[in-house]
Amino acid sequence: MEEESRKRKERLAKMRQSRDIGDTVEAAVSGVVEETVAKHQREAEQQQEIDIEAIAPKRADWDLKRDLQKRLDALQPQNEAAIRELI
């Protein structure tokens, strides 16, 4: 049992000595931060390039027509009655 323990300690010591700094997690993800920052900067530039007219409504008075449509619908029967009376 002591011999197995000694062998295990030797193996662990060899592993510690042979372990390269490049194998650490920090080294594996070193470029991720720069990559992410560059990606977000590109996306921000693309969002700034969006044309304002592309997101603006085609007709500037669409909301006014929407609000007035209810009132016009209520007046339609009266309008038709007045036209019939004139004819």
Side-chain angles (χ1 to χ4, degrees):
M1 186 159 236
E2 291 178 16
E3 187 176 331
E4 291 176 14
S5 175
R6 185 179 51 78
K7 286 181 182 179
R8 189 179 321 120
K9 286 181 183 180
E10 288 175 7
R11 278 195 321 255
L12 288 173
K14 285 181 183 178
M15 288 174 59
R16 286 185 187 128
Q17 289 174 355
S18 68
R19 190 170 86 182
D20 190 17
I21 298 296
D23 292 342
T24 62
V25 173
E26 291 84 5
V29 296
S30 64
V32 173
V33 173
E34 291 83 10
E35 220 175 275
T36 306
V37 169
K39 178 182 174 185
H40 286 293
Q41 286 177 346
R42 286 192 304 268
E43 288 176 357
E45 289 172 3
Q46 289 175 352
Q47 287 178 353
Q48 289 175 352
E49 293 174 2
I50 294 176
D51 188 20
I52 297 296
E53 293 178 10
I55 57 175
K58 303 276 186 235
R59 299 176 306 194
D61 60 348
W62 70 271
D63 59 338
L64 295 174
K65 289 182 180 179
R66 181 196 64 210
D67 292 338
L68 287 177
Q69 190 61 42
K70 293 176 189 173
R71 293 180 182 171
L72 290 175
D73 289 342
L75 292 176
Q76 187 66 29
Q78 293 176 4
N79 189 23
E80 291 174 359
I83 292 172
R84 277 192 304 253
E85 188 176 315
L86 290 174
I87 292 177

